[in-house]
Amino acid sequence: METPNEETVYLDYNATTPVEKEVQDVILQALQEAWGNPSSAYSAGRKANELVSEARQQVAQMIGASPADIIFTSGGTEANGLVFHTAVKHFWAATNGLAEGQCQRRPHIITTTVEHDSVCLTAKHLVEEDKADVTYVEVSSQTGQVDVVDVLAAVRPNTILVSIMLANNETGVIMPIAEIGQRVHDLCKGPTKHRPILIHTDAAQALGKVHVDVNDLGVDYLTIVGHKFYGPRIGALFVRDPGSSTPLFPMLFGGGQERCFRPGTENTPMIAGLGKAAQLVFTRLDEDETRMQDLKDYLEDQLKNKFGKEKLHFNNHFEGSKRLPNTCNVSILGDDLQGYRVLAHSHRLFASTGAACHSSQKNRPSPVLLKCGIPAKIARNALRLSLGRFTTRKHIDIAVAELYRASCELESASIH
């Protein structure tokens, strides 16, 4: 991809981030020096094994976990799928040995209406194949968050998993995962003796932007996605004491790598790069978070100064809710200012109207914004401007000028 420079401005860091130079260097070095199979005993294999172990420690450090709790995956989609697969398998394994179909109830899963497709579509697939029941909890139009009380109200005797993202990729709203985890676990310890419920959060959008600690959150599983924090396009899954305290059932079978939880010869260069990216998050987070918050405030102020408050609607300004420090979701109001049209006329700006995986839908308003209570006419005009480590105030000035020019051109063309 084209990286940010003085000619173009990249404000789509929630879609993907450029790979840090230090991460690139580690990947290249691994390609050159650790080309051996990590399971082999000779020097190139031992070097590869050492890099995988070091990366496991670095990823664990980033989230306050033990290295033994980290399972490397191909990415966030696989990690999320592994959690749902495990939940269903664990339900049947724990149901007194009854075979699937012999139990009166299927496993029940709770998630929300604003999850990433890798969660929503996996849940939908399980329902269509009669493998699970799923409750999709709505988010509040006042807060943009899922309400803890609503999650608890959705719990059934056969509930096995609660899966809720840590931060929404379009609004940046941070969900109350720690409280949800605590209340659900308390429910399982209470006098009703509810079966243990597993707690999962997809932390793809939060890592590298806000502090994430698995012990503070109280989760059993946490999804990690490298290309969201300046690393390569692989991922990892945190599992609290996998196979012992927390179940984990493999989806693949092979050579026994990753303690048989995720077999397949390890992608050593990318794993090493993921570890380095995680290390940089650990050392730079405070600085990055403060800087991004300052830049986002500057962006929103410049938009107001250029367009006027009456011309804008900030789609993620929910009172009392915490948001990611880098995410601005805004609509420029006007009948001809649909987000995809404005961006098509903003030749120097790289941004999106919502989730990158929905970019082909163009004029369709974001389902996430609609579910957050944003009217369709406003949601159609939405722009997601997400900042990152390489964003400067000059980039923001260029972006605002581009958006203003494009909007004026579109409105002028509609008059004529």
Side-chain angles (χ1 to χ4, degrees):
M1 66 168 249
E2 299 176 66
T3 52
N5 55 51
E6 295 305 322
E7 287 71 45
T8 60
V9 177
Y10 182 73
L11 297 185
D12 206 15
Y13 283 83
N14 284 7
T16 198
T17 54
V19 179
E20 272 278 6
K21 178 61 167 59
E22 293 176 66
V23 174
Q24 295 177 35
D25 291 343
V26 166
I27 292 172
L28 180 59
Q29 185 177 7
L31 285 167
Q32 294 171 337
E33 300 177 6
W35 50 266
N37 190 315
S39 299
S40 300
Y42 43 79
S43 59
R46 292 197 303 272
K47 178 63 174 177
N49 186 275
E50 290 170 5
L51 289 182
V52 171
S53 296
E54 181 182 12
R56 203 182 305 278
Q57 293 172 352
Q58 291 167 323
V59 172
Q61 182 185 51
M62 177 178 66
I63 60 171
S66 165
D69 296 339
I70 303 300
I71 307 295
F72 292 116
T73 67
S74 62
T77 295
E78 182 190 343
N80 289 341
L82 186 54
V83 171
F84 278 68
H85 168 80
T86 289
V88 172
K89 294 282 285 186
H90 178 62
F91 177 87
W92 295 114
T95 309
N96 299 322
L98 291 178
E100 187 171 343
Q102 292 182 313
C103 185
Q104 291 183 344
R105 295 189 180 97
R106 291 185 292 271
H108 174 241
I109 295 168
I110 298 172
T111 187
T112 79
T113 57
V114 296
E115 298 297 312
H116 187 269
D117 276 355
S118 61
V119 165
C120 283
L121 295 183
T122 299
K124 179 183 177 183
H125 177 75
L126 290 174
V127 171
E128 289 174 346
E129 294 202 339
D130 290 326
K131 291 183 177 180
D133 296 323
V134 178
T135 297
Y136 299 91
V137 180
E138 300 280 349
V139 295
S140 166
S141 59
Q142 280 72 47
T143 66
Q145 293 179 322
V146 63
D147 194 295
V148 178
V149 173
D150 292 339
V151 175
L152 293 174
V155 172
R156 303 176 187 173
N158 56 325
T159 300
I160 192 66
L161 175 69
V162 174
S163 176
I164 299 174
M165 58 175 32
L166 184 50
N168 186 267
N169 53 316
E170 294 191 39
T171 65
V173 169
I174 297 173
M175 301 294 178
I177 300 300
E179 185 179 357
I180 290 170
Q182 182 62 56
R183 296 284 296 276
V184 170
H185 285 147
D186 287 348
L187 182 66
C188 298
K189 297 174 184 175
T192 57
K193 299 294 184 183
H194 192 288
R195 74 167 72 235
I197 299 174
L198 303 166
I199 306 294
H200 166 243
T201 191
D202 182 342
Q205 288 297 338
L207 289 166
K209 299 164 189 169
V210 294
H211 180 71
V212 176
D213 187 292
V214 292
N215 297 305
D216 293 342
L217 294 172
V219 294
D220 301 298
Y221 308 98
L222 182 140
T223 295
I224 298 161
V225 181
H227 74 95
K228 303 295 187 181
F229 55 90
Y230 312 92
R233 288 176 183 170
I234 66 164
L237 179 66
F238 160 81
V239 185
R240 193 179 298 278
D241 192 11
S244 296
S245 299
T246 307
L248 190 63
F249 290 86
M251 292 193 293
L252 305 172
F253 299 91
Q257 295 85 353
E258 295 298 289
R259 289 155 284 163
C260 294
F261 293 126
R262 202 284 184 182
T265 303
E266 298 90 342
N267 189 349
T268 306
M270 297 301 108
I271 289 173
L274 181 68
K276 184 62 179 180
Q279 182 190 53
L280 293 176
V281 168
F282 182 76
T283 57
R284 296 183 184 180
L285 181 60
D286 290 343
E287 176 186 349
D288 284 350
E289 184 176 2
T290 300
R291 184 172 175 278
M292 284 189 290
Q293 183 66 57
D294 176 71
L295 286 169
K296 187 183 75 169
D297 292 343
Y298 179 73
L299 168 62
E300 294 186 352
D301 286 343
Q302 292 305 103
L303 286 168
K304 293 173 189 174
N305 291 338
K306 196 71 173 177
F307 287 92
K309 292 181 180 180
E310 70 284 349
K311 189 71 173 176
L312 302 172
H313 185 276
F314 289 97
N315 302 312
N316 62 341
H317 284 196
F318 298 100
E319 186 176 355
S321 294
K322 293 182 179 179
R323 303 190 303 274
L324 295 175
N326 79 315
T327 305
C328 170
N329 195 307
V330 62
S331 293
I332 305 170
L333 304 180
D335 291 339
D336 301 291
L337 301 181
Q338 290 81 17
Y340 79 96
R341 298 187 68 198
V342 173
L343 289 178
H345 283 73
S346 302
H347 307 302
R348 299 174 67 188
L349 172 63
F350 300 159
S352 69
T353 59
C357 49
H358 295 159
S359 60
S360 62
Q361 296 173 359
K362 291 189 175 180
N363 196 35
R364 180 190 174 196
S366 161
V368 167
L369 294 185
L370 295 178
K371 288 162 186 172
C372 289
I374 306 299
K377 187 174 182 179
I378 294 176
R380 283 194 184 92
N381 291 23
L383 302 167
R384 184 187 68 178
L385 308 175
S386 49
L387 319 180
R389 205 174 270 171
F390 304 113
T391 308
T392 66
R393 286 197 171 206
K394 185 172 183 180
H395 289 141
I396 288 173
D397 291 339
I398 293 172
V400 172
E402 278 288 288
L403 292 172
Y404 185 76
R405 179 193 55 75
S407 299
C408 290
E409 287 181 0
L410 285 169
E411 290 190 317
S412 177
S414 69
I415 294 174
H416 297 93

